[in-house]
Amino acid sequence: MRLLMFDFDGTLVDSQANIVHCMTSAFRAENLPPPSPQQVRRIVGLSLELAIEALLPGGEVHLAPTVAMHYREAFFARRQMPDFQEPLYDGALEALDRLAGPETLLGIATGKNLRGLRAALERHGLADRFATLQTPDHNPSKPHPGMLLKAMAETGCTPERTVLVGDTTFDMEMAGHASVRALGVSWGYHAPEELSDRGAVAILQSFRELPAAVERIVEAG
């Protein structure tokens, strides 16, 4: 049995517009200058409170729980809008279909909370695709290896038979801490060269490359 773990935001789904919008709303709710889209991209993948702490000015870090509450409220409201979109990246669904099989388990390790993740999976018809869902609700934030360690414990898979697919340096570092090999993607929130520097064994240019890349990694042992 092998385990293929995916990050969510920036790897499977293009959520950048929603994240930037909700972060801007959350900061403005406390009369704080909102971070730029580039700053927001840098922290996607961390648990929400840690991400907001990284964005707040030093003297305002104590506001992180309140700003996080505003963010969750803004995202919930945005998700109810009829024009809400959080599309899968091109080729993601086809890759999941090709990878699914009796010898391959799929999982997710994300900075998104479990409620939001389940809502997104339901929206895309993916609720039954994943054997394990790891979020900050019951794990330390990335880059701590807890999400991957728990996923492997739940599925009975070893690090040698586990691969992580992600788009941020936090993903690559988490994989390294868990002795798991990682594939970076070129379409996410951190630059491909950063992912390579943090341990990605390869950078995918499209989801079409994923099945063959996983085979090469697992066969290499």
Side-chain angles (χ1 to χ4, degrees), residues 17-190:
N18 294 319
I19 292 172
V20 170
H21 172 88
C22 294
M23 197 65 76
T24 298
S25 297
F27 272 65
R28 286 179 175 166
E30 289 298 311
N31 296 312
L32 295 167
S36 69
Q38 292 77 14
Q39 289 173 311
V40 174
R41 285 170 62 94
R42 299 302 305 168
I43 53 79
V44 174
L46 297 174
S47 64
L48 182 57
E49 283 78 7
L50 282 182
I52 289 172
E53 284 182 12
L55 292 171
L56 284 166
E60 307 292 350
V61 172
H62 65 284
L63 292 174
T66 304
V67 176
M69 177 190 69
H70 292 312
Y71 179 95
R72 292 187 178 100
E73 290 171 347
F75 208 100
F76 180 80
R78 191 168 177 84
R79 203 165 58 212
Q80 309 312 307
M81 297 173 66
D83 60 345
F84 176 80
Q85 292 186 13
E86 195 177 62
L88 290 168
Y89 284 105
D90 288 344
L93 184 58
E94 292 80 1
L96 294 176
D97 286 341
R98 288 180 62 189
L99 288 161
E103 295 183 353
T104 302
L105 297 176
L106 306 179
I108 289 178
T110 177
K112 213 177 192 73
N113 67 31
L114 186 58
R115 178 182 177 184
L117 174 61
R118 284 178 170 161
L121 293 176
E122 288 283 353
R123 190 162 52 252
H124 290 294
L126 298 176
D128 298 326
R129 295 293 188 103
F130 299 97
T132 180
L133 302 177
Q134 300 301 327
T135 72
D137 297 74
H138 303 103
N139 295 286
S141 174
K142 301 174 185 180
H144 188 282
M147 292 189 197
L148 290 180
L149 296 177
K150 190 171 181 181
M152 289 186 287
E154 286 183 357
T155 59
C157 293
T158 63
E160 294 78 15
R161 299 284 293 175
T162 300
V163 178
L164 174 71
V165 183
D167 72 300
T168 70
T169 57
F170 311 125
D171 297 316
M172 304 301 107
E173 291 171 1
M174 176 177 65
H177 295 326
S179 299
V180 166
R181 287 161 294 180
L183 290 167
V185 302
S186 62
W187 54 83
Y189 299 150
H190 289 181

